[in-house]
Amino acid sequence: MATKAQRATDEKSVKLWGYVPQAMDYILAAGCVAMLGAMSLALWRGRAELALVPVTYPVHFGTLAIALALTPVLLLRAKGDRAHRIMGYVWIAAMVTTAIDTFFIRDLNDGGFSLIHLLSILTLFVCWRIVASARAGNHLAHRGHVRGIVIGALLVAGFFTFMFNRLFAQWIAM
């Protein structure tokens, strides 16, 4: 049973923000901040070589940076208001652009598609589901889709960009 002070704090938080973030929201937000920091470090260390990579890479990095920066804000602030919707559409646009851009990045498989491109197809589908569930007012499905894509497409896929001698792994090692 919550104490009177705790209920007052919760009510004030709900009145102030319209939403009380859950533990998972804080974990995912922290993961995105960490991933954005790691990506920034890799880009800083590889800045001399950045001009040498195809234009699809900077587009990919830029759209990912937008998505990673917006994710904690979207997860931890009020839901359903105009600001959330605008930031949400910017986030969706960044994720869709990132996913489409990956179809032009095919260095890993001698110019062919690889398994990572299946994640891009899934990302495009889930982005559509995120918007559809929000418009339908299905907040639980919307939250589930957002958490799933943040875990899979931003954090897990992002983690693997720092392994297996990929570009970020090389730049971090410089």
Side-chain angles (χ1 to χ4, degrees):
M1 191 86 184
T3 66
K4 212 178 222 187
Q6 181 63 40
R7 282 194 305 270
T9 302
D10 288 346
E11 288 173 16
K12 183 177 181 182
S13 178
V14 169
K15 289 178 187 174
L16 197 66
W17 298 103
Y19 174 74
V20 177
Q22 298 173 349
M24 179 60 84
D25 298 320
Y26 287 105
I27 292 167
L28 295 177
C32 286
V33 169
M35 188 61 66
L36 184 59
M39 188 175 104
S40 299
L41 177 62
L43 289 170
W44 176 256
R45 297 202 56 169
R47 68 189 179 280
E49 295 181 17
L50 191 56
L52 305 175
V53 298
V55 71
T56 53
Y57 284 83
V59 168
H60 196 70
F61 303 153
T63 55
L64 281 173
I66 291 167
L68 286 168
L70 282 176
T71 299
V73 177
L74 287 165
L75 289 175
L76 301 178
R77 67 170 304 282
K79 309 293 186 262
D81 62 357
R82 182 181 163 118
H84 181 81
R85 286 191 300 274
I86 291 170
M87 286 187 287
Y89 279 117
V90 170
W91 187 88
I92 287 288
M95 293 296 292
V96 166
T97 303
T98 299
I100 291 171
D101 185 58
T102 63
F103 294 114
F104 300 99
I105 300 173
R106 295 185 290 206
D107 299 339
L108 291 179
N109 208 19
D110 296 324
F113 293 107
S114 64
L115 290 177
I116 196 73
H117 292 100
L118 293 176
L119 179 62
S120 300
I121 293 168
L122 180 61
T123 297
L124 293 170
F125 175 74
V126 173
C127 283
W128 170 75
R129 293 296 305 139
I130 287 170
V131 174
S133 60
R135 285 187 173 176
N138 189 344
H139 305 297
L140 288 176
H142 178 74
R143 181 179 299 146
H145 295 314
V146 169
R147 286 178 176 172
I149 200 170
V150 167
I151 292 167
L154 290 178
L155 299 179
V156 172
F159 175 77
F160 282 106
T161 63
F162 292 93
M163 304 182 97
F164 310 118
N165 205 30
R166 294 182 71 192
L167 191 59
F168 278 177
Q170 293 171 19
W171 287 351
I172 287 284
M174 293 178 102

